[in-house]
Amino acid sequence: MPRLRTTLFLSCLLLAAPVVAQERVIPTENVRLDYAQVLGVEPVYQTLRATRTEQRCDEVPASKAEAPAQEAKEEGRWSRMVSSVRGWFGGDEEPAQTPPVTLPAVKVNCRIVPIEREFQRPIAYDVDYIYKGVKYRSRLAEDPGNRLRIRISVVPYVAPVQSTASGP
């Protein structure tokens, strides 16, 4: 029985040996920075909708019967007496013209009305640029201007390892 265990252990070790022997080298990345010429920039907008409520009333002009009563209250006794005496002694002079009285509007039929507003704000920019004769498009958070700083990475292509199936 101990011999069987030893044989099993050695056979497992021999099967695992090729896997350990195959080491994969990962190539390093070669990086440099350069500039590309920007061809065009298109902003991408986000549309926001906001609703708020506001009170709206129908405005009706005040009745004319209330207006003279208010004027009479505002004008004092002495000013009325002076203006009437002035008319007796200075008949040639025209009385000072008072500005026309605007009647205040009375608000009736008030109701709550929802008002919708729409806002647009730029959230990103679609940038078309050219580098070494090839055109690219990227979505960026800011407008880059005339030149775009780019990162160039060069790594050799390594084909994936394919497992070979052993057959008869």
Side-chain angles (χ1 to χ4, degrees):
M1 189 68 129
R3 201 167 208 197
L4 183 61
R5 284 186 198 169
T6 312
T7 309
L8 269 169
F9 178 71
L10 287 175
S11 62
C12 288
L13 189 61
L14 288 174
L15 288 175
V19 174
V20 175
Q22 289 179 342
E23 290 184 22
R24 182 154 185 165
V25 177
I26 299 173
T28 59
E29 183 179 24
N30 298 306
V31 177
R32 69 183 177 101
L33 299 176
D34 204 356
Y35 288 92
Q37 180 67 38
V38 173
L39 300 174
V41 177
E42 297 174 16
V44 177
Y45 290 103
Q46 177 185 28
T47 303
L48 302 172
R49 289 181 179 86
T51 304
R52 68 181 182 130
T53 58
E54 194 174 272
Q55 183 177 2
R56 291 280 171 99
C57 299
D58 296 333
E59 293 186 2
V60 177
S63 64
K64 294 184 180 181
E66 296 174 4
Q70 288 177 355
E71 287 178 18
K73 287 179 186 176
E74 292 174 5
E75 198 172 339
R77 247 186 247 178
W78 291 104
S79 62
R80 284 184 289 182
M81 188 180 347
V82 168
S83 64
S84 66
V85 171
R86 185 180 299 154
W88 289 339
F89 294 110
D92 295 347
E93 295 180 13
E94 288 186 24
Q97 291 188 1
T98 58
V101 177
T102 57
L103 300 175
V106 176
K107 294 183 179 182
V108 294
N109 194 18
C110 295
R111 62 202 171 278
I112 301 295
V113 177
I115 297 175
E116 291 188 13
R117 294 185 184 245
E118 193 172 278
F119 304 96
Q120 286 190 335
R121 66 176 186 155
I123 58 169
Y125 296 90
D126 286 336
V127 180
D128 295 322
Y129 57 96
I130 189 167
Y131 179 73
K132 300 237 179 184
V134 180
K135 293 180 182 178
Y136 299 95
R137 173 173 267 213
S138 296
R139 182 163 284 184
L140 302 175
E142 297 176 356
D143 186 349
N146 294 333
R147 296 187 330 159
L148 176 64
R149 191 170 187 192
I150 57 174
R151 178 180 182 263
I152 297 147
S153 171
V154 179
V155 180
Y157 175 73
V158 179
V161 177
Q162 296 179 355
S163 60
T164 57
S166 57

